[in-house]
Amino acid sequence: MSWTSISVVVSLYNERPALDELCRRLTAVLSGLAQRWEIIFVYYCSTEGSIEKLREFRSVYPSVRYLRFRRNFGKSAALAAGFRAARYAIIATLDCDLQDIPEELPLLLTQLDEGYDLVSGWRYHRRDKLSRRMGSKFYNWATSLLTGVRLHDINCGFKCYRREVLDEVMVYGERHRYIPVLASYRGFRLGEVKIEHAPREYGSSRYGMERVLGGFFSLLTVILMTRYTNKPLHFFGLMGLLLAGIGTAIDLYLITLRVLFNEWLSNRPLLIIGTFLAIVGVQLILFGLLAEMIAFSYRRESDYSVVESSGEEDLSFSQDERAIGISRGKTAE
């Protein structure tokens, strides 16, 4: 099967030894897949001089391009810049360390051609350390449970997208890990394909506690920005009711001991804990109410996107909608 045009975005950080092989293999794959294609390397200021190699590629491979950052702004910024620079309607991403096998790109594209908007790779047999595999399993389980997105390997860097997905999903911070969650919230159809995973031969893993904590906070942000954007009280109110309920139950238990058994409470730390939980719970509920008022003040129709209409509905753009470029059934004029 042949596609008209494909862009491949590769973020690059301290992986110069893999560049020659990756470029050669990707070029061979894309030449047999698409009539027009390009590879965009995003170099975000690694320390081993990959930029010289990328400059050499420009004279050897006309369809290879690169972007260079002034400093390391992170992988999300690198991918976002690559997405903006991509020229074609189908965009693929993969890591530069060659653990993702370029020759399996047709598998993802075939799934995409079946009507999906985003297809993610599933590293069914991972060639990583046990600690990383177990951490990844827990991460994928927690993400699936909290977001409702049923992907086995949501953090896999080997993905294919339709252009409209990336036009609607904002990528910044550490949100590149949660593009499938954001896309699902916007109503796009997600697919998944089992892929092979090669042992690491180039570069070194940057997996560590900082990435774990960063991933957790990013997940919390994504949940708030998708499921609870228009109903923050549901999020903060639930936590508030839980804490206030526990605190109130503790205090009622202590009051019962005082009334029925005449026990002194001044030396019971449990009284302080119960009162503290009740106060924090009430504060969270009030915080949720304030967040609801703020969300109502800034609420816009840009919370949804209309992809098709009969032509009778009024789909005119407001000034705010023009600014953020929401996809609509008819173009803003």
Side-chain angles (χ1 to χ4, degrees):
M1 186 175 293
S2 176
W3 283 263
T4 303
S5 55
I6 302 171
S7 296
V8 178
V9 177
V10 182
S11 61
L12 175 62
Y13 185 79
N14 283 347
E15 283 148 334
R16 176 172 178 165
L19 277 176
D20 282 311
E21 183 179 351
L22 174 64
C23 199
R24 174 178 53 80
R25 291 169 63 180
L26 255 183
T27 299
V29 171
L30 291 169
S31 297
L33 275 179
Q35 301 173 21
R36 295 174 297 171
W37 55 270
E38 63 180 357
I39 304 172
I40 303 173
F41 288 99
V42 186
Y43 172 81
Y44 52 110
C45 290
S46 52
T47 57
E48 33 67 283
S50 299
I51 190 64
E52 290 80 9
K53 180 64 68 175
L54 295 178
R55 288 169 181 159
E56 293 176 13
F57 286 165
R58 285 292 296 159
S59 60
V60 179
Y61 305 102
S63 295
V64 172
R65 304 161 56 202
Y66 68 87
L67 305 173
R68 180 186 180 187
F69 284 2
R70 290 185 182 275
R71 68 172 180 84
N72 185 355
F73 291 97
K75 187 172 183 177
S76 285
L79 290 177
F83 295 153
R84 287 195 300 270
R87 298 169 177 160
Y88 301 131
I90 303 299
I91 300 173
T93 61
L94 75 163
D95 293 334
C96 192
D97 54 18
L98 284 174
Q99 285 196 275
D100 298 329
I101 300 174
E103 289 77 12
E104 296 199 318
L105 179 58
L107 294 177
L108 279 72
L109 292 171
T110 300
Q111 183 86 342
L112 195 73
D113 202 47
E114 294 178 2
Y116 293 95
D117 301 299
L118 185 160
V119 176
S120 177
W122 174 11
R123 297 166 291 188
Y124 191 66
H125 294 295
R126 291 194 62 170
R127 310 288 185 176
D128 287 319
K129 295 179 180 179
L130 178 62
S131 59
R132 188 168 185 182
R133 295 200 307 270
M134 297 305 296
S136 180
K137 283 184 178 294
F138 174 78
Y139 165 82
N140 286 305
W141 171 82
T143 302
S144 179
L145 177 67
L146 294 173
T147 65
V149 175
R150 306 302 179 187
L151 294 180
H152 295 86
D153 194 3
I154 198 170
N155 198 32
C156 178
F158 205 175
K159 291 183 172 69
C160 285
Y161 311 84
R162 297 189 187 276
R163 163 67 68 180
E164 50 265 33
V165 175
L166 301 174
D167 285 343
E168 290 202 25
V169 173
M170 294 180 61
V171 182
Y172 63 89
E174 293 291 326
R175 291 178 66 176
H176 66 276
R177 303 174 183 177
Y178 301 106
I179 293 179
V181 177
L182 299 169
S184 176
Y185 174 73
R186 301 297 297 184
F188 292 106
R189 189 181 178 197
L190 309 184
E192 189 173 43
V193 174
K194 289 182 180 180
I195 59 174
E196 294 294 327
H197 190 235
R200 178 181 290 275
E201 296 182 10
Y202 304 100
S204 57
S205 172
R206 288 174 285 278
Y207 178 79
M209 186 55 63
E210 182 179 356
R211 289 192 65 183
V212 172
L213 293 176
F216 170 76
F217 289 129
S218 295
L219 175 60
L220 184 61
T221 300
V222 166
I223 292 173
L224 286 172
M225 296 302 291
T226 53
R227 298 176 62 179
Y228 298 101
T229 300
N230 292 322
K231 48 181 181 181
L233 182 58
H234 289 216
F235 180 80
F236 294 105
L238 180 62
M239 292 192 299
L241 285 175
L242 179 63
L243 293 179
I246 294 174
T248 302
I250 291 174
D251 287 346
L252 288 175
Y253 166 72
L254 294 175
I255 290 173
T256 302
L257 292 180
R258 175 60 179 166
V259 172
L260 297 181
F261 302 103
N262 200 31
E263 291 191 14
W264 289 98
L265 304 181
S266 58
N267 60 344
R268 299 292 296 270
L270 198 59
L271 177 64
I272 299 175
I273 295 174
T275 304
F276 174 76
L277 290 177
I279 293 174
V280 171
V282 172
Q283 288 180 329
L284 283 174
I285 294 172
L286 293 176
F287 187 81
L289 288 171
L290 289 173
E292 284 280 352
M293 295 171 64
I294 294 172
F296 178 79
S297 299
Y298 287 93
R299 186 165 293 149
R300 299 178 298 205
E301 292 183 354
S302 58
D303 294 324
Y304 60 82
S305 58
V306 177
V307 296
E308 185 177 352
S309 73
S310 63
E312 299 173 357
E313 295 80 3
D314 180 13
L315 299 178
S316 57
F317 283 69
S318 68
Q319 183 176 358
D320 289 335
E321 289 168 330
R322 291 176 189 271
I324 61 176
I326 292 298
S327 173
R328 290 293 189 127
K330 61 183 181 181
T331 307
E333 296 179 355

